[in-house]
Amino acid sequence: MKISQVISNTDKKQFLEAAKIIYKNDKNWVCPLDNDINNIFNPEENDYFNHGLAERWILQNQSGELIGRIAAFIDFKTSAAENQPTGGIGFFECVNDQQAANLLFDTAKKWLVSKDMEAMDGPINFGERDSYWGLLVDGFTHPSYEVAYNPAYYQQLFESYGFKTYFKQEGFHLDVTKKLPDRFMKIAEWVANKPGYEFKHFSWKEQDKFTEDFAEVFNTAWDSFKENFEPLKVEYIRNALEKGKIIIEEKFIWLAYKNGKPIAIYLMYPDVNEILKYLNGKLNLYTKLKFVYLKKRKVIARARGVLMGVIPEFQNLGIESVFIMKIAEVMKEKPQYKEIEFSWVGDFNPKMRKIFISVGSIPAKHYITYRYMFDRSLEFKRYPIANEN
């Protein structure tokens, strides 16, 4: 076997091709857009390069056929907050061969060690946690946009190498054709009607105020996760909205206010994978026209709930229930949507899990984020689980 660092344009194309080879007979897999993957490793597109490093490799067999790939990266902001400096691996693809997997893992480990890392998490993303995070271990059905999907045998490849479970994740599916539980609706309506509360969906006309309020809530709500927290910049949100303008539904994005102060956010978007599965990763004039055509045909029947956040002083007051009630009302206006996937919820966040269970959603997919300690004699510590209260 031959492992090579991704350097040339040919190497970059092979990095993309490796995934297409692994999944060529998998009817559920949806090929990400080539540009989306390339941009993750482009310092001009990915802000994480301002405080991190990334490297990639491809693996070939003796006949020169692609049989795997891997990426390794370091976010120096988060690595410094760990008990030991910790990097990450991701975009791992491999044939069902432990020797091949070990060579990929070893190569990533060697690079991370050379950068003074003492552990690696994986599979994770060189970017936000809501994309390409964790290994799918149960629920091998349609993947939502930027949600992890992989063959079932990957779990054995990771665990045989020595990776241990750092935390578990669940993806919840909600059938929006069914009525929400009466008890839940009563609570949501009571909260929505409390004096001083206001719930507003996003609109392009007010996007400047929205982005500022969204960033304020996000940076306050997620600051408690200090070791993994990356503050959002207003400009980043604006750019993300512009890039997704063709697909964004205004009433899928919500903010909550108390006496005019932004206190909570909810972000959801149509599951664009239901269109991307017809494009094979390409975005050119023909596929753009095809994208627009399929969107007008309303082939997208799923939405993906990406995040829900409430600033600490307003947590446990039922704000989240109002968001879900509002979304349920919106879905009545858009009958082409049949399902919402809330992904993902970590086992370290039992409060959020309770919320999704209370509305009738079911845990349909399970993931694991692993950690591998380079010094095998050190004590392994799992990610701490928050108090449910």
Side-chain angles (χ1 to χ4, degrees):
M1 290 183 288
K2 177 186 175 183
I3 192 160
S4 307
Q5 187 176 334
V6 173
I7 299 174
S8 68
N9 287 335
T10 298
D11 298 334
K12 293 174 184 177
K13 290 178 181 178
Q14 289 186 312
F15 186 82
L16 298 171
E17 189 63 26
K20 297 173 185 179
I21 291 171
I22 296 295
Y23 296 100
K24 64 181 179 180
N25 295 319
D26 189 327
K27 60 180 174 50
N28 290 322
W29 183 65
V30 177
C31 182
L33 290 173
D34 293 347
N35 288 343
D36 284 354
I37 302 301
N38 284 333
N39 287 345
I40 290 169
F41 300 98
N42 182 352
E44 295 181 1
E45 296 289 340
N46 188 348
D47 289 341
Y48 276 70
F49 278 99
N50 293 331
H51 46 82
L53 300 170
E55 201 58 79
R56 289 177 285 172
W57 298 267
I58 52 174
L59 182 63
Q60 297 168 303
N61 63 17
Q62 292 180 337
S63 302
E65 298 169 325
L66 287 168
I67 59 171
R69 74 178 193 188
I70 198 169
F73 22 77
I74 304 167
D75 180 349
F76 291 110
K77 283 188 176 181
T78 57
S79 68
E82 298 283 357
N83 292 326
Q84 66 288 310
T86 302
I89 61 163
F91 303 93
F92 169 88
E93 306 292 356
C94 188
V95 295
N96 192 2
D97 183 301
Q98 191 67 54
Q99 185 179 359
N102 289 353
L103 180 54
L104 290 166
F105 294 141
D106 284 343
T107 301
K109 174 188 172 184
K110 182 178 179 181
W111 181 80
L112 289 167
V113 168
S114 75
K115 307 299 180 185
D116 299 321
M117 296 295 106
E118 297 176 9
M120 58 185 178
D121 291 345
I124 64 172
N125 181 33
F126 188 47
E128 298 295 336
R129 276 190 171 198
D130 58 22
S131 302
Y132 311 115
W133 206 285
L135 190 80
L136 181 66
V137 296
D138 183 53
F140 296 90
T141 59
H142 57 263
S144 293
Y145 180 62
E146 293 187 335
V147 175
Y149 181 84
N150 50 263
Y153 66 81
Y154 278 18
Q155 183 176 7
Q156 183 66 38
L157 296 181
F158 271 78
E159 295 181 1
S160 292
Y161 184 77
F163 282 93
K164 293 184 178 180
T165 298
Y166 189 45
F167 58 80
K168 295 182 179 181
Q169 305 141 251
E170 290 177 299
F172 289 84
H173 287 192
L174 177 65
D175 183 347
V176 296
T177 65
K178 296 181 179 179
K179 183 182 176 183
L180 292 175
D182 290 338
R183 181 176 180 276
F184 175 87
M185 288 295 292
K186 288 179 180 179
I187 294 172
E189 289 170 357
W190 176 74
V191 174
N193 292 321
K194 289 177 71 174
Y197 282 98
E198 184 180 14
F199 294 82
K200 298 177 63 176
H201 67 76
F202 169 71
S203 73
W204 290 107
K205 291 180 180 179
E206 298 182 281
Q207 63 175 305
D208 288 342
K209 175 173 172 49
F210 168 84
T211 51
E212 292 171 3
D213 292 348
F214 192 98
E216 180 180 337
V217 173
F218 183 93
N219 293 333
T220 304
W222 270 266
D223 187 50
S224 58
F225 298 100
K226 291 184 184 298
E227 72 276 17
N228 292 299
F229 178 65
E230 179 72 17
L232 269 184
K233 298 178 181 178
V234 171
E235 191 60 33
Y236 174 88
I237 301 172
R238 286 183 182 141
N239 290 338
L241 288 171
E242 284 300 321
K243 287 180 181 179
K245 194 166 187 176
I246 190 174
I247 202 70
I248 285 173
E249 299 267 12
E250 290 184 330
K251 292 185 178 180
F252 280 10
I253 308 173
W254 287 79
L255 278 114
Y257 296 84
K258 177 64 184 294
N259 298 327
K261 173 183 172 60
I263 60 171
I265 53 177
Y266 178 76
L267 173 63
M268 183 173 80
Y269 50 69
D271 183 9
V272 71
N273 263 10
E274 294 200 278
I275 292 179
L276 294 187
K277 64 184 180 182
Y278 299 108
L279 308 187
N280 195 34
K282 306 300 180 184
L283 200 57
N284 49 42
L285 178 58
Y286 170 72
T287 55
K288 286 179 181 178
L289 292 173
K290 190 173 185 178
F291 188 104
V292 173
Y293 169 75
L294 291 171
K295 181 176 180 289
K296 287 184 176 179
R297 289 283 306 273
K298 298 183 178 180
V299 301
I300 300 179
R302 292 195 306 268
R304 182 193 168 201
V306 180
L307 63 85
M308 189 187 300
V310 183
I311 65 174
E313 61 192 284
F314 288 94
Q315 291 175 3
N316 301 318
L317 298 179
I319 306 296
E320 301 93 339
S321 65
V322 182
F323 282 145
I324 294 176
M325 179 183 72
K326 295 292 186 183
I327 289 298
E329 292 171 355
V330 171
M331 289 306 193
K332 292 178 182 178
E333 304 170 11
K334 302 176 183 295
Q336 70 268 28
Y337 289 98
K338 310 298 181 186
E339 178 185 66
I340 298 174
E341 177 174 330
F342 301 107
S343 60
W344 45 264
V345 180
D347 62 359
F348 50 81
N349 191 358
K351 289 189 291 186
M352 189 60 69
R353 186 181 192 277
K354 278 188 172 182
I355 291 169
F356 291 138
I357 292 292
S358 71
V359 301
S361 61
I362 60 171
K365 297 182 180 182
H366 296 83
Y367 310 85
I368 296 175
T369 294
Y370 292 100
R371 173 163 289 185
Y372 182 94
M373 306 287 289
F374 296 159
D375 184 344
R376 309 302 288 164
S377 67
L378 292 178
E379 179 187 4
F380 177 84
K381 293 184 179 180
R382 211 175 179 279
Y383 192 92
I385 295 176
N387 193 309
E388 291 193 39
N389 299 320

